[in-house]
Amino acid sequence: APIEATRLLAKCVQERHSSNSSSNNGVKKQAKVNSAPATMAVVVNVASMAGLAPTAGAEVYGAAKAGLLHLTKSSASLAPLVRVSAVAPYFVRTPMVLDNPKHKNNKTIVPALMLSVDQVCGAVEKCIVDPQSAGKVHALMGTAASTRVWLFELAWIQVMVLAVWALVLSLIRRVVRS
């Protein structure tokens, strides 16, 4: 998963960079990036919702992602020299997820809540440019806006609220379209 995520993220960032720097009537567009001291570094960990709430059948994966999230939170003290943050997406629409036979009849995966690669890339970009992102974890699910997870002890409540909100927004969009 990390290799595929890195490959997809690199492709997405490259595409966005090339579209931001393309010529428009002879005027070159510049991507807006907050300037930072040369000594500053930014690390964005790609975790998972499985690190926020227990997931049956993915115990080891969830424990590893929870460890990554705790590392992110504890690394807040490294700022401003090194700013560490994380994104914790729900399932992302990639061939690894869509073509996996274990996921075909899995009733725990809600298609309406799945994310696109662009949504995850956008969240990573926000972490990179946000000077206040040190130690923050951004939970991502469906079409709902990302939310920062502040208390790991209550993370499962936040995940459920985010899931319900994403489903409500999806339902409202369907009603409005019809």
Side-chain angles (χ1 to χ4, degrees), residues 75-88:
S75 297
S77 63
L78 299 174
L81 185 61
V82 178
R83 191 166 17 99
V84 181
S85 58
V87 294

Side-chain angles (χ1 to χ4, degrees), residues 105-158:
N105 296 317
N106 189 336
K107 295 187 184 346
T108 61
I109 299 175
V110 180
L113 299 179
M114 291 182 76
L115 297 156
S116 70
V117 173
D118 283 342
Q119 287 173 295
V120 178
C121 289
V124 170
E125 287 178 337
K126 284 181 186 176
C127 290
I128 291 169
V129 299
D130 180 6
Q132 303 301 315
S133 69
K136 302 292 189 296
V137 174
H138 300 268
L140 308 169
M141 186 181 291
T143 57
S146 70
T147 181
R148 289 184 176 163
V149 178
W150 299 99
L151 299 172
F152 280 92
E153 297 80 20
L154 301 176
W156 66 273
I157 294 172
Q158 292 174 315

Side-chain angles (χ1 to χ4, degrees), residues 9 69 73 77 93 106 147:
L9 179 62
L69 294 174
K73 296 291 284 179
S77 63
R93 285 185 198 94
N106 189 336
T147 181

Side-chain angles (χ1 to χ4, degrees), residues 51-111:
L52 296 170
T55 306
E59 294 83 1
V60 174
Y61 178 79
K65 294 300 183 175
L68 185 61
L69 294 174
H70 284 282
L71 175 67
T72 299
K73 296 291 284 179
S74 63
S75 297
S77 63
L78 299 174
L81 185 61
V82 178
R83 191 166 17 99
V84 181
S85 58
V87 294
Y90 183 67
F91 289 94
V92 181
R93 285 185 198 94
T94 64
M96 186 178 83
V97 172
L98 298 173
D99 298 339
N100 188 331
K102 290 193 317 188
H103 295 156
K104 291 288 185 200
N105 296 317
N106 189 336
K107 295 187 184 346
T108 61
I109 299 175
V110 180

Side-chain angles (χ1 to χ4, degrees), residues 18-33:
S18 65
S19 69
N20 283 342
S21 61
S22 64
S23 181
N24 183 12
N25 295 333
V27 178
K28 202 167 198 176
K29 295 180 184 176
Q30 296 291 328
K32 288 185 178 179
V33 178

Side-chain angles (χ1 to χ4, degrees), residues 1-14 94-96 117:
I3 293 171
E4 181 180 22
T6 302
R7 180 182 58 77
L8 291 170
L9 179 62
K11 179 181 175 187
C12 181
V13 169
Q14 184 179 29
T94 64
M96 186 178 83
V117 173

